[in-house]
Amino acid sequence: MSSSNNSSLYSYYLKNVSIYGGIPIFIGGCIGGILNIIVLISLKTFRENSCAFYLTMISFVNIGHLLTGLLHRILVSGFDIDLTLISSSFCKLFQYSLQVCALLSITCLCLATIDQYFATCSHYRWREWSNIKISRRLTKLFLIIWLIHGIPCLIYFDLNKLISTKKFRCMIRNKKFSNYFIHGYSAILTGYLPIFVTILFGLLSYYNIKCLSSSRISNIRRELDKQLTTMIVVLDIFNIIALMPYPIILIIRSISSIIEDPFPAEKINFISNLTVFFYYLYFASPFYIFICVSERFRRQLIYVLFKIHLERWRRRRMISILILPH
């Protein structure tokens, strides 16, 4: 089979994966993120909890990341529409927002895991670190850090004309920054480092939960900590599965760029594009993980949707009907 036939076949498969796989992930992720926000904001139990604050921030940022990153990927791979080609400025801002959203979401997951470790500690002094004020300050701090960290994207990303296809693409123009983007940002900051942090503090939180029955904590707080720890630990496990393949393939892809034979390079490029959709499952999955692993969260969802918001809508409708004749 010729190289051109291989390329067209891979493009056909990638197009189908984008349409039939990417679109459901995008729609399901946005709906799940909105439902997460509704539940976490509506209940006072969650509004006053620092770990729940991180989960709320994750939901907001994940929706933003899906609306930018995944939607762009679906349009490019599935419909051959690249919005980053509109202008050089749009290319730079797109990559900047993509990086900030990804880093902030993963950072909030790490902070939520660490927060649950402190919340489930038996010592009171350690539990004091699980605080809503501290969580807000840390979120603001890391937001500023990642906003500054993303400035090189505004400098080195630009529209470049590819020699092979003679088409423009939004890509990095500086070789040193390209190496950092692959090995520093993609592999370490959004790959191995958050995986290590979530594994370590997830295991410590799980160990602490087993000792909660003997600690002097109220039953309401104990049940909430058990619920949040279960949700966070399972999300951490899924985080490993979803985030690990992409940086590995990205590094292999950068190495394979020196290979002269186009067939293995095309194959690696195809696998790389597939792992991107798997990577976006991390941003689309939290709500569905919470629903599956926490019976209490399922009850809270039903209560919020039907007892709070539906009843509130009915009351407003009744009031408007009674006032309308006058």
Side-chain angles (χ1 to χ4, degrees):
M1 189 179 286
S2 65
S3 176
S4 60
N5 288 335
N6 280 325
S7 181
S8 60
L9 188 63
Y10 289 142
S11 298
Y12 172 76
Y13 287 146
L14 187 61
K15 182 177 180 179
N16 282 282
V17 170
S18 303
I19 295 171
Y20 300 110
I23 292 175
I25 293 171
F26 172 73
I27 296 172
C30 289
I31 293 171
I34 292 168
L35 290 174
N36 253 351
I37 292 167
I38 291 171
V39 174
L40 294 171
I41 289 178
S42 299
L43 296 175
K44 188 179 179 181
T45 308
F46 288 135
R47 287 199 304 270
E48 296 177 349
N49 185 274
S50 51
C51 180
F53 172 79
Y54 289 126
L55 295 180
T56 307
M57 289 301 303
I58 289 171
S59 300
F60 275 112
V61 177
N62 284 357
I63 292 171
H65 198 64
L66 291 171
L67 288 170
T68 51
L70 182 56
L71 182 59
H72 171 260
R73 180 69 61 170
I74 292 168
L75 291 173
V76 171
S77 302
F79 304 96
D80 200 24
I81 301 170
D82 192 349
L83 297 177
T84 59
L85 301 181
I86 293 173
S87 68
S88 176
S89 300
F90 190 82
C91 161
K92 294 173 183 288
L93 288 171
F94 173 79
Q95 295 294 340
Y96 179 75
S97 62
L98 205 65
Q99 187 177 115
V100 171
C101 285
L103 286 170
L104 189 59
S105 174
I106 293 170
T107 302
C108 284
L109 177 62
C110 293
L111 292 173
T113 311
I114 296 169
D115 183 88
Q116 271 310 105
Y117 164 69
F118 287 128
T120 54
C121 281
S122 57
H123 297 287
Y124 177 74
R125 287 185 178 179
W126 288 111
R127 289 204 303 272
E128 284 185 327
W129 285 97
S130 178
N131 186 288
I132 189 69
K133 290 182 180 179
I134 293 174
S135 64
R136 286 170 180 166
R137 288 171 185 170
L138 284 174
T139 303
K140 290 175 184 177
L141 174 64
F142 277 102
L143 175 59
I144 293 168
I145 290 171
W146 297 138
L147 286 171
I148 296 169
H149 172 270
I151 289 174
C153 289
L154 300 173
I155 301 170
Y156 296 118
F157 269 98
D158 210 340
L159 297 177
N160 283 353
K161 191 174 184 179
L162 298 175
I163 299 172
S164 57
T165 60
K166 295 182 179 179
K167 292 182 179 179
F168 283 95
R169 274 187 61 189
C170 181
M171 55 192 297
I172 300 169
R173 301 185 67 174
N174 183 278
K175 190 175 181 181
K176 289 182 178 179
F177 181 65
S178 179
N179 289 329
Y180 168 75
F181 191 83
I182 294 169
H183 301 283
Y185 164 70
S186 299
I188 297 174
L189 292 181
T190 62
Y192 309 128
L193 182 60
I195 286 171
F196 171 76
V197 172
T198 52
I199 287 174
L200 175 63
F201 286 95
L203 290 173
L204 291 172
S205 301
Y206 183 74
Y207 173 78
N208 286 345
I209 274 294
K210 289 188 173 182
C211 305
L212 272 181
S213 56
S214 59
S215 62
R216 296 179 181 178
I217 302 175
S218 65
N219 289 330
I220 297 172
R221 175 64 187 271
R222 187 182 294 116
E223 288 302 316
L224 178 62
D225 284 335
K226 285 181 179 179
Q227 176 192 4
L228 290 173
T229 303
T230 304
M231 290 160 58
I232 288 293
V233 168
V234 177
L235 188 60
D236 289 340
I237 294 169
F238 187 81
N239 167 44
I240 299 166
I241 299 168
L243 296 182
M244 183 66 81
Y246 181 62
I248 293 173
I249 294 296
L250 205 62
I251 292 170
I252 295 171
R253 185 181 175 183
S254 67
I255 296 169
S256 70
S257 61
I258 61 173
I259 300 173
E260 294 182 0
D261 187 0
F263 178 68
E266 286 176 1
K267 199 171 184 179
I268 291 167
N269 188 45
F270 173 70
I271 296 170
S272 174
N273 284 313
L274 288 181
T275 57
V276 169
F277 290 100
F278 199 68
Y279 162 82
Y280 278 107
L281 281 173
Y282 160 75
F283 300 95
S285 63
F287 171 76
Y288 304 100
I289 290 173
F290 300 160
I291 284 291
C292 291
V293 302
S294 176
E295 183 184 352
R296 192 179 183 200
F297 189 82
R298 293 195 293 270
R299 293 198 305 267
Q300 287 165 335
L301 174 67
I302 294 168
Y303 174 78
V304 167
L305 292 179
F306 295 101
K307 295 292 183 180
I308 296 179
H309 293 290
L310 184 61
E311 289 296 327
R312 187 180 296 168
W313 176 78
R314 284 175 176 172
R315 284 197 301 269
R316 287 177 179 175
R317 191 168 175 231
M318 287 296 296
I319 292 169
S320 63
I321 290 170
L322 290 172
I323 295 173
L324 189 62
H326 299 285

